Amino acid sequence: MTLPEVRKGYRTAAQAGPRLANGGLGIVEFGKGVTWVGVYCRSEGRSPEKLSVVIDTIGEFTTVCPTGEVQHELHQLNLTEPFDGQVRIETADDVRWAANVQVSAPADS
């Protein structure tokens, strides 16, 4: 499993994984405008498991991680103000995941 692909015009602000169980991406500097949160996950147990991406003061995204295949999720945030927030992954001990936060890249001058 690899990290989610970075979208054109964006840069990685934080990333973690692949790893098993709960974890985090640390405190992320979210800019004003569109931010993408990418997650890949797979349950290594006998049944699908839930995975939640929790972003302090913003909210939570939840997906189901299947067994035997990688689930790809990409969530878009459109922020009216920049802020710093903790990003956590909450899931079962047998879920392998990789995630990143992508913010707008400055335009080349």
Side-chain angles (χ1 to χ4, degrees):
M1 176 180 307
T2 61
L3 287 161
E5 184 175 317
V6 178
R7 297 175 64 87
K8 184 176 181 174
Y10 290 82
R11 66 175 177 77
T12 301
Q15 64 185 22
R19 66 172 47 162
L20 283 168
N22 293 331
L25 282 70
I27 296 176
V28 178
E29 294 179 21
F30 291 88
K32 181 179 178 179
V34 175
T35 295
W36 295 94
V37 179
V39 179
Y40 290 178
C41 67
R42 177 182 65 229
S43 172
E44 296 189 355
R46 293 182 179 213
S47 61
E49 297 283 355
K50 288 184 180 179
L51 176 143
S52 294
V53 178
V54 181
I55 304 172
D56 288 346
T57 73
I58 290 210
E60 178 176 331
F61 305 107
T62 300
T63 189
V64 175
C65 306
T67 59
E69 64 183 84
V70 176
Q71 175 70 21
H72 302 107
E73 292 282 332
L74 187 61
H75 303 281
Q76 179 181 356
L77 305 171
N78 193 358
L79 306 173
T80 57
E81 296 294 328
F83 81 101
D84 295 348
Q86 181 79 26
V87 178
R88 297 184 317 277
I89 304 294
E90 297 177 355
T91 191
D93 290 343
D94 60 356
V95 171
R96 183 169 303 280
W97 59 270
N100 64 18
V101 175
Q102 304 168 31
V103 296
S104 293
D108 292 336
S109 0

